[in-house]
Amino acid sequence: MDPWYPLGSADMLEVAAMGLHVAQMTSDDGMRAAFDAVTVNPARILHLPDYGIAPGCRADCVLLQARSPQEAIRLRAPRLKVIRAGKVIAESPAATATLHIPSRPAQVDWMKGSG
C-alpha cells in the first residue's frame, strides 16, 4: 500500500498513467513529460550527485521491457532489472505471450515489433 494514496502501489509508472488520464495529457509530448516527471526530474530537483548511467556515475536504474517512455506507461512495462550502484539487485523474466490462432506465429517478440 502506498503511504500517500491508499489505493496506490507505490509504482511511479502507475502514478504517471493516472496523471495522464486525469490531466488529459495523452499526446506523445504529454506522455514523455509524465515519464520525466517520475524519473529524471525528481533526481534533478534533488541535485543528486553522480546521477545517471554515464561513466563515473552511480548507475542506479530500472530496466523496463519497453521501447519508449510512452510504451512503458501505456503497457505498465515489466521491470526486467533493478540496478543499484551498477549491480543488479532484483530481476524478473520478460513478459511473453503464446498465441493460439491458426496461421499466426505461436510466439511474438513484441520488443522487435514482429507479428
Side-chain angles (χ1 to χ4, degrees):
M1 194 160 84
D2 187 317
W4 297 280
Y5 176 56
L7 297 177
S9 63
D11 180 341
M12 296 311 292
L13 285 180
E14 179 183 292
V15 171
M18 185 179 298
L20 288 168
H21 287 281
V22 170
Q24 299 180 16
M25 294 175 52
T26 56
S27 68
D28 280 344
D29 289 341
M31 286 187 273
R32 180 64 204 200
F35 187 82
D36 288 349
V38 298
T39 57
V40 298
N41 290 345
R44 287 183 186 137
I45 291 167
L46 292 171
H47 300 286
L48 296 176
D50 302 322
Y51 173 77
I53 56 172
C57 293
R58 278 187 46 92
D60 293 337
C61 63
V62 177
L63 179 63
L64 302 172
Q65 185 178 352
R67 293 179 284 197
S68 67
Q70 295 88 339
E71 191 171 273
I73 294 169
R74 185 176 65 81
L75 298 176
R76 311 300 195 273
R79 281 62 168 180
L80 299 177
K81 295 185 188 299
V82 177
I83 302 167
R84 182 173 62 198
K87 293 185 174 36
V88 175
I89 62 168
E91 59 187 315
S92 298
T96 59
T98 301
L99 302 177
H100 301 284
I101 302 172
S103 77
R104 296 289 300 198
Q107 298 231 321
V108 175
D109 184 349
W110 64 272
M111 292 298 293
K112 293 181 181 175
S114 62

